[in-house]
């Protein structure tokens, strides 16, 4: 089962001081919404993390590293 709070907390910590919690939360919720019903439920948390992380990194002008989960 997906833990939205854990996803939001993990990404908020990673981007602390650079991106607001509100922005992180919006990206996570959008990623979950986009993926829901499109992939197997067991993969939803990992894929939502990756999908939410990409625009957050892009916002900071970084190269996205989709293979690394911090």
């Amino acid at each position: 089962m997906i833990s939205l709070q854990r996803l939001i907390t993990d990404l908020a910590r990673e981007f602390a001081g650079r991106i607001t919690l509100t922005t992180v939360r919006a990206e996570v919720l959008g990623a979950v919404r986009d993926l829901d019903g499109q992939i197997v439920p067991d993969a939803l948390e990992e894929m939502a993390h990756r999908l939410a992380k990409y625009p957050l990194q892009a916002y900071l002008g970084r190269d996205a590293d989709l293979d690394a989960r911090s």
Side-chain angles (χ1 to χ4, degrees):
M1 179 169 190
I2 186 168
S3 171
L4 288 176
Q5 189 56 49
R6 182 173 57 227
L7 282 173
I8 293 166
T9 300
D10 288 351
L11 287 170
R13 281 187 190 134
E14 184 172 344
F15 292 98
R18 298 172 291 159
I19 297 179
T20 66
L21 176 60
T22 301
T23 300
V24 170
R25 182 181 297 115
E27 290 298 336
V28 168
L29 295 177
V32 169
R33 183 183 58 246
D34 290 347
L35 292 169
D36 190 36
Q38 302 300 316
I39 61 172
V40 295
D42 289 344
L44 185 58
E45 188 168 344
E46 175 67 22
M47 295 306 295
H49 181 277
R50 291 174 185 232
L51 188 60
K53 186 174 179 174
Y54 182 84
L56 296 171
Q57 288 176 317
Y59 178 76
L60 296 176
R62 293 191 195 159
D63 293 332
D65 180 9
L66 297 179
D67 293 327
R69 182 173 179 180
S70 300

